[in-house]
Amino acid sequence: MDIQTIVDISLLTLLAVTALILLRLNNLLAAVLLSGIYSLLTAGLFVSLDAVDVAFTEAAVGAGLTTVLLLGAVAITGREQSVTRHSRILPIAVTTVTAAALIYGTLDMPKFGDPMAPIHTHVAPRYIEMSGEEIGIPNIVTSVLASYRGYDTLGEVTVVFTAAIGVMLLLGGVIKRKSKPKKHE
Amino acid sequence: MNNRRSLILREVSNVVIPSVLLYALYVQFHGEYGPGGGFQAGVIFAAGVILYALVYGRKKTQKIFPTSVIRYFVSIGLLLYAGVGVASMFMGGNFLDYNVLSHDPQHGQHLGILLIELGVGITVAAVMIMIFYMLDEYAEKK
Amino acid sequence: MIADFYNYWVAIILMMIGFYIVISDANLIKKMIGITIFQTSVFILFISMSKVEGGTAPILIDEVTLYSNPLPHVLILTAIVVGVATTALGLAIIARIYREYGTVDENIIHAKDEEEYEDSDEDLS
């Protein structure tokens, strides 16, 4: 086993442990902070999987911004964690069955790191070979993101824009509270 | 209340915030050569501003980055992105086909990518700052 | 065998933990955390598939010929930023719900809704 596999496996195990603790936590503030740690671990995992751009984004977004936004929401709603719970039997049954089906599905997948997997034999090689000549910049992710798939990225930016409009509409307006809704006769 | 935050917090953030903002610009304009680009740069810039707001309070931050200005930047970035597409159409190419933007296709690609990454960065940074302002303002309105 | 599929399996386990939080926890903010875990598990699945044994990060340099697949990276990069934007939207909705109902507990919200519904029913009859 080489060092990369060891790093990979230990980071994944840590992630699973963090998520399990998160599942059992009742204090909201602790849960939010733990989700920040979870994101940071994910960013580390992405570096070990060669996805440096993604790791960068995850570290800035997941460990930084999402945590701040969740903290802001906890500041609004208070740290109270509900005492009421749904029954646990049905969720456990549903997740176990789904997990079993998905794991059965992975058995057909190409092995982890297999260079001959279908995903690596189609489309991607062309970008790797030609983007240096056609676009002239070294970072292939940026070439694909900004040039080859510029259309998609325009859509993504529009989604971010729309989300901001949504937040502004939901939170920015004048608030009238505690006026009992009028009932229609 | 906001002005009486801990001395250590203020001093450390005084050192950290300028470097965070500078780093965001580096990531923005160096994204073609190393990891980085508009999305990351926007988020890092917003994180710097939000850090300032957390330490010094939102009111003080809004004097530097007023809500009314940020609101325009939310759409300016997107318009810049789409504008590059339209410009390339007028210059005889397809929508978002940067080859025609300059005399040399590769230079055109460079210019196009630089501009649209800038657009992405502006929109993402403005959106994140805006969302933070909104949540924080909402928390104060009781 | 285990090392071949370990990444996929952990991604599935994380996905199920997120799913479990979403359907079993009554607190809406905890549900949002569950959704982000679910999201991250999908990211891990995609990035695991992009890895090539012995490859390196997809930034072109002269000495290297084997790169990991850049396409999933592009997909996930944008998905992360869109994810935080949608999370913010969800939190904004939760904040409004809190102001309206005074709680973020799903069960209590349901109970209040039922009450109101029964009140309006009596008014009708």
Side-chain angles (χ1 to χ4, degrees), chain B residues 36-59:
Chain B
F39 283 104
Q40 294 94 325
V43 172
I44 292 172
F45 191 87
V49 176
I50 290 172
L51 182 60
Y52 187 85
L54 288 176
V55 175
Y56 289 96
R58 178 175 44 81
K59 295 254 164 59

Side-chain angles (χ1 to χ4, degrees), chain C residues 6-67:
Chain C
Y6 193 71
N7 282 45
Y8 306 143
W9 291 346
V10 172
I12 288 168
I13 290 168
L14 291 175
M15 189 183 281
M16 286 308 120
I17 291 174
F19 188 33
Y20 180 84
I21 293 177
V22 171
I23 57 178
S24 83
D25 211 296
N27 189 301
L28 292 177
I29 291 188
K30 198 75 183 289
K31 273 183 202 283
M32 275 325 285
I33 296 176
I35 289 176
T36 51
I37 292 180
F38 195 108
Q39 248 175 0
T40 317
S41 77
V42 178
F43 301 160
I44 293 172
L45 185 70
F46 267 65
I47 299 296
S48 298
M49 285 196 277
S50 79
K51 172 76 181 156
V52 175
E53 190 92 63
T56 182
I59 294 172
L60 295 169
I61 31 175
D62 289 339
E63 306 91 71
V64 180
T65 50
L66 192 60
Y67 298 100

Side-chain angles (χ1 to χ4, degrees), chain A residues 64-88:
Chain A
L65 266 179
T66 312
T67 313
V68 171
L69 293 180
L70 281 168
L71 281 177
V74 172
I76 292 175
T77 62
R79 295 179 202 178
E80 52 135 0
Q81 165 79 339
S82 59
V83 270
T84 61
R85 282 194 177 275
H86 301 279
S87 110
R88 285 188 180 173

